[in-house]
Amino acid sequence: MNPVTDAIASRRTVKKMDPDRTPSRADIRTIIEAASWAPNHHMTEPWRFIVLEKEARRRLGEALAAAMNAGPIPQPQERLAKERDKPLSAPVIVAVIGSPKRGEGILPQEEMVAAGAAMQNLLLAAHSLGLATAVRTGAHSYSEAIRRFFGMGPDEALVALVYVGYANGAVAPGKRTAAAEKTIWLER
Ligand SMILES: Cc1cc2nc3c(=O)[nH]c(=O)nc-3n(C[C@H](O)[C@H](O)[C@H](O)COP(=O)(O)O)c2cc1C
């Protein structure tokens, strides 16, 4: 038994959250702190976080639905209404934003990798505290309208919207291809 690998393997995406339980701000601060311990080249710490609670989730839902409606594929009203309500399914949403720095030797790709690692730290820290998380995105989440919603700079990119709460009911087991099938070993 290894608590780290066990936590990694037992973390699951949880979409059904208990509407009556809200994570404490202390716990949200803890998971964001954990996120910021991600490795990052040149110590650029290329991330920032926006926490949405209460009515801010409603504003996000409206922005997501509008962004979806403005997208290339026309969406029926029911789909837009569903998108509008989606952020209300979790008591807290943490937007993880990749905020790359510029400078000698700093590579955009490495900055986004580091921001992704921050997101995974956040998910795992939440899991360790008994919190449920779901990463929820979709093409419209990366639109100009959502960039404006979060006040993102031209170099920034949304890594993910992480929905945080407590699971409502049992969580289904996960599934992965055995890593051995995707691994080769080189000795020379
Ligand atoms: C960048 C990213 C975006 C994701 N966006 C969505 C999403 O929009 N909707 C969704 O249901 N799941 C989304 N997921 C979650 C995956 O569906 C989920 O991780 C996958 O099904 C594996 O399940 P697990 O997290 O329980 O292991 C996203 C995951 C990542 C890493």
Side-chain angles (χ1 to χ4, degrees):
M1 166 147 176
N2 173 317
V4 175
T5 53
D6 286 355
I8 289 168
S10 62
R11 176 212 56 80
R12 286 282 71 73
T13 293
V14 176
K15 292 189 193 165
K16 284 207 179 78
M17 295 192 182
D18 187 338
D20 299 322
R21 287 182 80 193
T22 298
S24 68
R25 279 195 168 187
D27 278 357
I28 298 297
R29 286 191 191 98
T30 298
I31 66 176
I32 291 175
E33 197 63 39
S36 73
W37 281 99
N40 59 104
H41 203 173
H42 305 290
M43 289 301 289
T44 56
E45 304 186 34
W47 43 66
R48 62 188 184 93
F49 308 92
I50 298 176
V51 183
L52 297 104
E53 305 173 301
K54 302 179 184 166
E55 285 306 302
R57 298 168 309 152
R58 204 177 293 281
R59 285 201 301 113
L60 173 63
E62 277 158 16
L64 285 169
M68 181 177 260
N69 196 31
I73 304 163
Q75 298 290 334
Q77 281 308 313
E78 309 85 74
R79 180 70 190 86
L80 296 174
K82 210 170 147 199
E83 191 63 19
R84 191 172 299 116
D85 287 347
K86 209 190 311 175
L88 303 177
S89 66
V92 179
I93 297 167
V94 181
V96 180
I97 294 172
S99 200
K101 306 296 176 289
R102 287 185 188 212
E104 178 81 28
I106 298 174
L107 303 174
Q109 182 191 339
E110 293 190 341
E111 296 291 84
M112 287 314 288
V113 168
M119 180 198 77
Q120 174 71 351
N121 274 4
L122 185 136
L123 300 181
L124 290 175
H127 182 46
S128 78
L129 294 173
L131 298 172
T133 56
V135 177
R136 308 196 81 166
T137 54
H140 58 297
S141 307
Y142 307 106
S143 66
E144 200 47 50
I146 299 301
R147 296 179 64 82
R148 268 198 308 278
F149 179 89
F150 287 122
M152 289 162 61
D155 288 353
E156 290 187 321
L158 181 70
V159 174
L161 298 171
V162 181
Y163 287 38
V164 190
Y166 288 92
N168 199 357
V171 176
K175 182 169 165 282
R176 290 292 188 277
T177 307
E181 288 181 29
K182 294 174 181 274
T183 309
I184 59 165
W185 299 71
L186 301 177
E187 288 193 355
R188 63 186 130 95

